[in-house]
Amino acid sequence: MQYIRNLILALVLLLAVACTGQKSTTVGSTTDIEKRIDKLLSRMTLSEKIGQMNQVSVGGEVSNYAEALRNGQIGSILNEVDPVKLNEYQRICVEESRLGIPLLVGRDVIHGFHTIFPIPLGLAATFDPALVEEGARIAAVEATAQGVRWTFSPMLDIARDPRWGRIAEGSGEDPWLDARMAEAMVRGYQGTALDTTSLAACIKHFVGYGAAEGGRDYNSTFLTERQLRNVYLPPFEAAVKAGAMTLMTSFNDNDGVPSTGNTFILKDVLRDEWGFDGLVVTDWNSMGEMIEHGFGIDRKDVACKAVNAGVDMDMMTFGFISHLEELVASGCVKESAIDEAVRRILRVKLLLGLFEHPYVDVGAGQAVQYAPEHLAAAQRAAEESAVLLKNEGVLPLKADRIRTILVTGPMADAPHDQLGTWSFDGQKSHTVTPLRALQERFPGKVVYVPGLQYSRENRSRFDEVVAAARRADVVLAFLGEEAILSGEAHSLADLNLIGSQSDLLAALKSAGKPLVATVMAGRPLTVERDLPNCGAMLYAFHPGTMGGPALVNILFGDVNPSGKTPVTFLRTVGQAPLYYAHNNTGRPYQGEKILSEIEAEAGQTSLGNTSYYLDYGAYPLFPFGYGLSYTTFRYSDIALDKEVYAKDGTLNVSFRLSNTGNCDGTETVQVYVRDLVGSITRPVKELKAFERVSLKAGESRRLSVQIPVSELAFVGLDAVRQVEPGDFQLWVAGDSASGEPIPFKVQ
Ligand code: BGC
C-alpha cells in the first residue's frame, strides 16, 4: 500500500516538474525503483545482502571502517555528522565497493539538528501540528545539508508515568494528540515530495515502551492486545499512513515477548494489517539484549528470532553480520527473508535518491545551520509551548515600572540544560538563555545571583540571594531539571523539584517581592508545594535554542501564553500513573474528604468506599490540556447538529468562543467524547479534536468542529475495530476537566 502511495507521489512529482520545466533534485526515476532493486539483488552475494542489514555506530578515523565498507559489510552508519567524513564514507561505498551502494546515514535528530526546538513533550504542548511540521522540516534541512538522511524520530510512545525519563521525547499521554504530532513530524522530516532535503523518519519505539512498569526505563510491559490496539498502536498506524519510511523496535518485553523478536507486532500488525513496506531497524543492541531478557541462548539464536520476526536491520548487535550466513546455510532463515529485508533497505536508499546524490556540498551545508528563519521558528515554538500554571496578577510584568530585576536559579543561565535531552548537535554557544535575553533587553537593570549554580548544590548562598531579592522590584527564579535528569535511562522516583530548589523559592518568598517561578524540565514535576511560594508559575518543557527570548517575551507580555499541557500534572509521585482518559471504576472518586480533613474533624470516618488515596485523593494538580492565558475565554451556545448519528455520519458541534479579557489571546479548543456503555468499559473522556483559535480582546466568534463518527471506533470484546451504537457525551472546553457534557446517540 505504501509502495503504491510512494509511486503516486513520484508520478505527481514528475508531472509537476515536467509542467514547470524546473530541474528536480528529487529521486529521479522512482517509478522503476522495484526494477532497480530486482536488478541489484540479482547481482548481490549473500554476504553483500547481509552487509546491507548491518548498521554500525562509527567514530574516529574513516579508515577504521574502510575495509568493511569496501567489502559491502555495512549498510548504514550512525553517529557521524562531519560532512567531510560522511562524503568520504560515501565515496568508499560508491566508488570502491563492488556494487557501489551508498550508505544510509542515521542520527538522532529528535527536536532539531543544530537549531534546537523544544523537546517533543514541549512541542506537543503547542497543540500546533503545522508549527511542529515546520520544525521537523527545519531539522531535515539542517541535517541533510550535512549528510544525514535518516533520523530516529518521532518517538510515539504514549507515556502516562512521569517517572519515566523518556516522557520528554514523546507527545505525552494521549493517543489522538500523539497521532497528530506523529503525522506532522513525518511530513516535516520527509517533505511533501522526496528530494535531497528529505530526512527519512523512523517511528519508534515499537511498541508499548512507554508503559514500562514503575516508570523505570527498559522495564517490562504487560499490555493486552486490546490495550495496544486502542491506545499504543494508533499513533504508529497514523504515522505509517502518513508515509513514515522506517520503524524501530523497542527494548521492552511485552507480556513476555521482546519487541525485537515479536512476530505478532512486526508481521501480523505492521506488515500484514497496515501494509508497511518500510525498513524495520532494531534499537541499539535490542537484538543482543534478548539474551539478557532470557528470550534467546546466544547472538546466533536472537539473530534468527529477530530476522524471522521481521527485523531488517541490526543496530549494533552485530548478530546479522556474524551469524546470518550460517543461519541461512542451516535452513533456520530462508534466503527469501533476507531478500525481502534487503529490498526494504534498498527501497529507502532509492527513494531518498542516495544513488543519484550520495554527497553533500560541504560549504553550502554550513550556510543553512542556525539560519535566522530557523531560529525564529524555534522561538515561536518555545513561545507556543510554555504553559502558564499559575498567575495571581503578577504577569505580565510591566517593564517601565521595573528598575531592578533579580534573576536567580540554576536554569537561568544553563545553555546546555535548556536544550533538553537528545540535543547532540545543538551548540551551547548558539543558545540564548533567559539571563542573556534579559540582559540584552534590559541593560543595566538585571542583577544575577544564581543562589544555586546547579539544582543539587547546597543552600549556602541563600542569604546573598534573599538580600538581593529585597533590593529588587521583581524576582525571576528559573528552576527545574538539568537535561541529564530526563531522557533515556534517566527515570526518577521522586518528582519534586530536585535538590534545594523548593527551599530557594521559599527563601525568596520571604523577601516579599513579586516572584515568578519559571520551570524548565523534561517532565511534569510535582510542583504543588512550590505553587504557594510564587505569584506566578510558567512551565516550559526544555525549550531549546531560543528558550531565553521566548520565555522573556511571555514574562513581559509581548506574547500571551497559549501552551496546554499534554500530560497530567500529579500532586505527588505516588499518584502515578494518573491520566485523564482512564476507565471508570465501579466506585468512582467523589471528592471525599482526604486524610488531613478527617484528622481535623477528629472522629469523622465516614468516607465512602471509593477509588482514591486517603492522603492525596484521586485528582491531579493540573489536568491534561490545562494552561492559563493573560486573557480569559468563555465557551457558550455549544450544540450538536443532531441528537442521533449514523455510524457513517459526522458530528458537527458548533459553539461560541469569546475572549472575555483585556488582551488578545489564543485558546486551544478541545473536544472530548465519552462512550457511555460498550462491550468493554471505555475511558471517561477521549480527545477527538483540537484547534488553536486566536481572538482579539473582547472578540467573540461562532466556531464549529467536525468529527467523523468513525473516530469513535475502538476494539471491543469481539476484537474488531468498530463504532458501537449507543449513548455518548461530548465536551467542548479549554482542558480535559472542564465543560458540561452534551448527550448524543449513535445508531
Ligand atoms: C535509543 C534510541 C536511539 C538509539 C540510537 C537508543 O539507545 O533507545 O531511541 O534512536 O539509541 O542512538
Side-chain angles (χ1 to χ4, degrees):
M1 252 181 71
Q2 209 199 1
Y3 165 62
I4 296 173
R5 260 196 316 276
N6 288 334
L7 208 67
I8 295 171
L9 189 76
L11 284 172
V12 171
L13 212 77
L14 287 176
L15 204 69
V17 170
C19 293
T20 56
Q22 213 183 330
K23 187 174 173 293
S24 168
T25 53
T26 54
V27 294
S29 50
T30 36
T31 47
D32 62 9
I33 277 180
E34 299 306 306
K35 279 198 208 134
R36 289 174 74 185
I37 297 174
D38 287 338
K39 211 163 149 194
L40 262 172
L41 270 174
S42 71
R43 295 176 61 209
M44 291 171 89
T45 63
L46 180 59
S47 146
E48 283 167 334
K49 289 175 190 171
I50 294 168
Q52 287 300 306
M53 299 167 72
N54 186 32
Q55 187 187 47
V56 177
S57 174
V58 293
E61 298 305 314
V62 178
S63 57
N64 296 342
Y65 306 91
E67 197 186 331
L69 294 169
R70 223 171 272 130
N71 295 336
Q73 290 174 339
I74 300 178
S76 171
I77 58 170
L78 73 158
N79 289 339
E80 180 56 76
V81 290
D82 175 348
V84 177
K85 282 189 178 172
L86 286 177
N87 277 346
E88 180 57 10
Y89 278 116
Q90 291 291 20
R91 196 196 58 74
I92 298 171
C93 289
V94 172
E95 292 180 17
E96 297 181 11
S97 76
R98 196 175 72 87
L99 296 171
I101 301 174
L103 280 172
L104 187 53
V105 176
R107 179 69 162 173
D108 290 280
V109 180
I110 306 296
H111 48 115
F113 183 59
H114 278 125
T115 304
I116 301 292
F117 281 67
I119 53 171
L121 193 58
L123 289 174
T126 66
F127 281 74
D128 189 346
L131 182 57
V132 171
E133 179 173 342
E134 189 185 343
R137 187 87 285 272
I138 287 169
V141 165
E142 291 190 359
T144 55
Q146 218 159 296
V148 176
R149 297 302 305 275
W150 184 17
T151 176
F152 306 117
S153 172
M155 185 187 99
L156 306 183
D157 300 312
I158 298 293
R160 295 178 161 181
D161 189 332
R163 289 174 293 180
W164 191 51
R166 302 198 82 168
I167 195 171
E169 296 176 50
S171 296
E173 72 184 46
D174 185 67
W176 208 83
L177 175 62
D178 192 11
R180 304 294 79 78
M181 293 299 159
E183 294 158 348
M185 287 196 211
V186 168
R187 282 194 303 264
Y189 287 137
Q190 297 184 175
T192 39
L194 294 173
D195 63 20
T196 47
T197 67
S198 293
L199 185 64
C202 183
I203 52 178
K204 70 185 188 184
H205 306 84
F206 202 57
V207 64
Y209 181 40
E213 265 198 328
R216 184 159 48 78
D217 206 5
Y218 313 123
N219 209 359
S220 297
T221 59
F222 296 92
L223 299 167
T224 63
E225 182 181 337
R226 208 177 355 250
Q227 180 76 337
L228 281 174
R229 290 191 183 276
N230 285 333
V231 178
Y232 291 82
L233 288 170
F236 284 92
E237 190 176 6
V240 166
K241 283 200 182 124
M245 294 167 89
T246 80
L247 172 143
M248 184 187 289
T249 64
S250 58
F251 286 125
N252 58 302
D253 65 320
N254 185 49
D255 197 15
V257 186
S259 299
T260 305
N262 190 330
T263 311
F264 167 66
I265 58 162
L266 295 178
K267 281 205 167 143
D268 301 356
V269 175
L270 181 67
R271 302 283 186 208
D272 298 347
E273 286 180 30
W274 298 350
F276 180 70
D277 68 359
L279 180 178
V280 171
V281 66
T282 71
D283 202 343
W284 184 288
N285 192 37
S286 67
M287 186 199 298
E289 288 170 19
M290 293 204 289
I291 303 169
E292 293 292 335
H293 274 293
F295 195 70
I297 303 162
D298 53 20
R299 263 200 320 171
K300 183 164 140 195
D301 190 21
V302 293
C304 178
K305 290 196 161 104
V307 78
N308 285 336
V311 167
D312 302 319
M313 187 180 278
D314 163 15
M315 180 193 284
M316 293 304 287
T317 296
F318 305 107
F320 286 173
I321 198 78
S322 315
H323 299 290
L324 272 189
E325 273 200 77
E326 41 174 328
L327 284 166
V328 170
S330 68
C332 291
V333 174
K334 294 201 184 96
E335 187 159 356
S336 59
I338 308 278
D339 286 352
E340 276 314 301
V342 177
R343 174 178 295 279
R344 293 190 279 257
I345 294 166
L346 294 176
R347 188 181 290 134
V348 171
K349 293 186 175 185
L350 284 159
L351 283 169
L352 288 175
L354 283 170
F355 285 79
E356 291 78 11
H357 306 281
Y359 306 116
V360 284
D361 176 339
V362 177
Q366 293 313 304
V368 304
Q369 312 301 330
Y370 298 111
E373 63 274 21
H374 296 182
L375 294 173
Q379 179 167 330
R380 221 166 49 247
E383 288 169 351
E384 284 192 15
S385 82
V387 183
L388 184 62
L389 293 181
K390 172 184 176 177
N391 187 17
E392 281 177 352
V394 179
L395 294 177
L397 299 169
K398 313 261 177 313
D400 50 355
R401 296 198 205 143
I402 295 171
R403 274 165 306 134
T404 308
I405 305 167
L406 172 67
V407 175
T408 182
M411 296 296 287
D413 193 32
H416 169 74
D417 293 313
Q418 82 179 44
L419 295 183
T421 186
W422 291 111
S423 46
F424 285 150
D425 302 294
Q427 288 140 320
K428 278 207 269 187
S429 53
H430 284 81
T431 305
V432 191
T433 65
L435 177 67
R436 208 177 109 198
L438 285 161
Q439 285 168 334
E440 276 168 16
R441 180 159 170 178
F442 303 110
K445 283 192 178 181
V446 176
V447 176
Y448 175 48
V449 183
L452 294 167
Q453 286 287 0
Y454 61 96
S455 62
R456 282 145 293 159
E457 199 192 14
N458 68 38
R459 33 184 304 168
S460 60
R461 284 182 298 168
F462 280 13
D463 289 349
E464 181 194 359
V465 73
V466 172
R470 290 210 174 89
R471 291 190 295 270
D473 299 313
V474 63
V475 180
L476 302 181
F478 293 89
L479 311 169
E481 296 182 310
E482 283 90 359
I484 196 70
L485 294 175
S486 59
E488 185 176 349
H490 292 95
S491 293
L492 288 174
D494 180 350
L495 298 183
N496 287 331
L497 273 175
I498 205 155
S500 309
Q501 296 185 92
S502 292
D503 293 339
L504 174 63
L505 199 63
L508 290 166
K509 189 188 179 200
S510 69
K513 296 297 172 75
L515 172 54
V516 181
T518 301
V519 180
M520 291 188 236
R523 54 161 70 76
L525 294 167
T526 47
V527 291
E528 186 172 66
R529 65 179 182 176
D530 307 300
L531 287 167
N533 289 336
C534 57
M537 184 179 283
L538 183 62
Y539 206 95
F541 298 106
H542 289 135
T545 304
M546 298 304 283
L551 294 172
V552 170
N553 277 350
I554 293 176
L555 295 174
F556 285 87
D558 310 82
V559 170
N560 192 346
S562 61
K564 300 272 191 169
T565 177
V567 276
T568 301
F569 273 72
L570 310 184
R571 297 182 54 206
T572 183
V573 69
Q575 292 181 302
L578 183 64
Y579 48 94
Y580 86 93
H582 60 85
N583 291 356
N584 228 0
T585 68
R587 296 183 173 192
Y589 182 50
Q590 309 289 350
E592 277 89 352
K593 294 189 168 93
I594 58 170
L595 203 53
S596 53
E597 291 165 324
I598 303 164
E599 280 162 3
E601 302 168 17
Q604 164 63 275
T605 54
S606 157
L607 295 172
N609 293 340
T610 66
S611 177
Y612 73 111
Y613 298 102
L614 277 177
D615 48 357
Y616 277 90
Y619 297 141
L621 181 60
F622 298 110
F624 173 89
Y626 180 84
L628 299 170
S629 161
Y630 293 151
T631 187
T632 45
F633 295 99
R634 193 180 64 229
Y635 292 80
S636 56
D637 307 330
I638 305 173
L640 277 162
D641 60 337
K642 290 184 188 168
E643 285 171 13
V644 182
Y645 292 89
K647 280 187 182 181
D648 59 357
T650 300
L651 308 174
N652 187 346
V653 60
S654 58
F655 55 96
R656 178 165 290 285
L657 182 68
S658 311
N659 179 341
T660 47
N662 298 326
C663 61
D664 304 351
T666 300
E667 166 74 329
T668 296
V669 173
Q670 299 157 48
V671 183
Y672 296 90
V673 170
R674 176 172 183 184
D675 188 344
L676 288 175
V677 179
S679 63
I680 56 164
T681 56
R682 303 288 298 131
V684 296
K685 271 185 188 179
E686 288 180 289
L687 183 69
K688 292 294 173 191
F690 59 82
E691 199 173 322
R692 288 173 61 89
V693 180
S694 297
L695 294 180
K696 299 261 172 239
E699 189 184 348
S700 176
R701 207 183 296 159
R702 187 126 199 106
L703 298 158
S704 67
V705 173
Q706 285 72 39
I707 301 172
V709 174
S710 57
E711 284 287 345
L712 309 178
F714 63 96
V715 176
L717 204 56
D718 54 6
V720 178
R721 172 174 296 280
Q722 59 183 337
V723 180
E724 294 185 2
D727 289 316
F728 291 78
Q729 291 177 327
L730 175 142
W731 292 255
V732 181
D735 64 59
S736 65
S738 302
E740 291 301 322
I742 300 177
F744 68 96
K745 285 183 195 298
V746 173
Q747 66 180 20

